[in-house]
PDB file of all heavy atoms in Angstrom:
ATOM      1  N   VAL A  42      16.482 -14.408 -44.755  1.00 87.00           N
ATOM      2  CA  VAL A  42      15.613 -13.997 -45.877  1.00 87.00           C
ATOM      3  C   VAL A  42      16.425 -13.209 -46.901  1.00 87.00           C
ATOM      4  O   VAL A  42      16.262 -13.377 -48.124  1.00 87.00           O
ATOM      5  CB  VAL A  42      14.396 -13.186 -45.353  1.00 87.00           C
ATOM      6  CG1 VAL A  42      13.627 -12.551 -46.504  1.00 87.00           C
ATOM      7  CG2 VAL A  42      13.489 -14.050 -44.510  1.00 87.00           C
ATOM      8  N   ASN A  44      19.617 -13.510 -47.482  1.00 88.00           N
ATOM      9  CA  ASN A  44      20.456 -14.489 -48.206  1.00 88.00           C
ATOM     10  C   ASN A  44      19.634 -15.225 -49.262  1.00 88.00           C
ATOM     11  O   ASN A  44      20.109 -15.462 -50.385  1.00 88.00           O
ATOM     12  CB  ASN A  44      21.093 -15.489 -47.230  1.00 88.00           C
ATOM     13  CG  ASN A  44      22.203 -14.867 -46.411  1.00 88.00           C
ATOM     14  OD1 ASN A  44      22.759 -13.843 -46.801  1.00 88.00           O
ATOM     15  ND2 ASN A  44      22.531 -15.480 -45.284  1.00 88.00           N
ATOM     16  N   ASN A  55      21.019 -16.754 -63.489  1.00 86.00           N
ATOM     17  CA  ASN A  55      21.434 -18.013 -64.141  1.00 86.00           C
ATOM     18  C   ASN A  55      20.332 -18.539 -65.054  1.00 86.00           C
ATOM     19  O   ASN A  55      20.600 -19.035 -66.156  1.00 86.00           O
ATOM     20  CB  ASN A  55      21.802 -19.075 -63.092  1.00 86.00           C
ATOM     21  CG  ASN A  55      23.141 -18.790 -62.446  1.00 86.00           C
ATOM     22  OD1 ASN A  55      23.972 -18.088 -63.023  1.00 86.00           O
ATOM     23  ND2 ASN A  55      23.364 -19.329 -61.261  1.00 86.00           N
ATOM     24  N   SER A  57      18.062 -16.763 -66.574  1.00 84.00           N
ATOM     25  CA  SER A  57      18.017 -15.892 -67.767  1.00 84.00           C
ATOM     26  C   SER A  57      19.107 -16.292 -68.749  1.00 84.00           C
ATOM     27  O   SER A  57      18.896 -16.296 -69.975  1.00 84.00           O
ATOM     28  CB  SER A  57      18.208 -14.425 -67.363  1.00 84.00           C
ATOM     29  OG  SER A  57      17.116 -13.969 -66.625  1.00 84.00           O
ATOM     30  N   LEU A  75      12.523 -13.720 -64.896  1.00 85.00           N
ATOM     31  CA  LEU A  75      12.275 -12.306 -64.573  1.00 85.00           C
ATOM     32  C   LEU A  75      11.350 -12.167 -63.353  1.00 85.00           C
ATOM     33  O   LEU A  75      11.544 -11.288 -62.518  1.00 85.00           O
ATOM     34  CB  LEU A  75      11.692 -11.583 -65.793  1.00 85.00           C
ATOM     35  CG  LEU A  75      12.668 -11.298 -66.935  1.00 85.00           C
ATOM     36  CD1 LEU A  75      11.914 -10.694 -68.131  1.00 85.00           C
ATOM     37  CD2 LEU A  75      13.746 -10.348 -66.474  1.00 85.00           C
ATOM     38  N   ALA A 113      15.117   1.371 -11.403  1.00 78.00           N
ATOM     39  CA  ALA A 113      15.422   0.403 -10.345  1.00 78.00           C
ATOM     40  C   ALA A 113      16.305   1.042  -9.279  1.00 78.00           C
ATOM     41  O   ALA A 113      16.099   0.842  -8.075  1.00 78.00           O
ATOM     42  CB  ALA A 113      16.098  -0.826 -10.933  1.00 78.00           C
ATOM     43  N   GLU A 131      10.217   6.200  14.234  1.00 93.00           N
ATOM     44  CA  GLU A 131      10.225   5.378  15.445  1.00 93.00           C
ATOM     45  C   GLU A 131      10.990   6.078  16.568  1.00 93.00           C
ATOM     46  O   GLU A 131      10.562   6.066  17.723  1.00 93.00           O
ATOM     47  CB  GLU A 131      10.840   4.002  15.152  1.00 93.00           C
ATOM     48  CG  GLU A 131       9.928   3.097  14.338  1.00 93.00           C
ATOM     49  CD  GLU A 131      10.592   1.800  13.904  1.00 93.00           C
ATOM     50  OE1 GLU A 131      11.836   1.676  14.056  1.00 93.00           O
ATOM     51  OE2 GLU A 131       9.874   0.912  13.417  1.00 93.00           O
ATOM     52  N   ALA A 140       8.999  11.787  26.582  1.00 92.00           N
ATOM     53  CA  ALA A 140       8.580  13.130  27.006  1.00 92.00           C
ATOM     54  C   ALA A 140       7.229  13.076  27.721  1.00 92.00           C
ATOM     55  O   ALA A 140       7.012  13.764  28.726  1.00 92.00           O
ATOM     56  CB  ALA A 140       8.511  14.078  25.809  1.00 92.00           C
ATOM     57  N   SER A 144       6.590  14.152  31.449  1.00 91.00           N
ATOM     58  CA  SER A 144       5.543  15.136  31.781  1.00 91.00           C
ATOM     59  C   SER A 144       4.605  14.581  32.837  1.00 91.00           C
ATOM     60  O   SER A 144       4.197  15.311  33.761  1.00 91.00           O
ATOM     61  CB  SER A 144       4.744  15.490  30.521  1.00 91.00           C
ATOM     62  OG  SER A 144       5.544  16.158  29.600  1.00 91.00           O
ATOM     63  N   ILE A 147       6.405  14.760  36.077  1.00 92.00           N
ATOM     64  CA  ILE A 147       6.443  16.158  36.541  1.00 92.00           C
ATOM     65  C   ILE A 147       5.075  16.551  37.096  1.00 92.00           C
ATOM     66  O   ILE A 147       4.981  17.194  38.153  1.00 92.00           O
ATOM     67  CB  ILE A 147       6.879  17.106  35.398  1.00 92.00           C
ATOM     68  CG1 ILE A 147       8.356  16.882  35.077  1.00 92.00           C
ATOM     69  CG2 ILE A 147       6.622  18.558  35.754  1.00 92.00           C
ATOM     70  CD1 ILE A 147       8.839  17.575  33.816  1.00 92.00           C
TER      71      ILE A 147
END
Side-chain angles (χ1 to χ4, degrees):
V42 170
N44 287 339
N55 286 337
S57 292
L75 287 175
E131 287 173 349
S144 294
I147 290 170

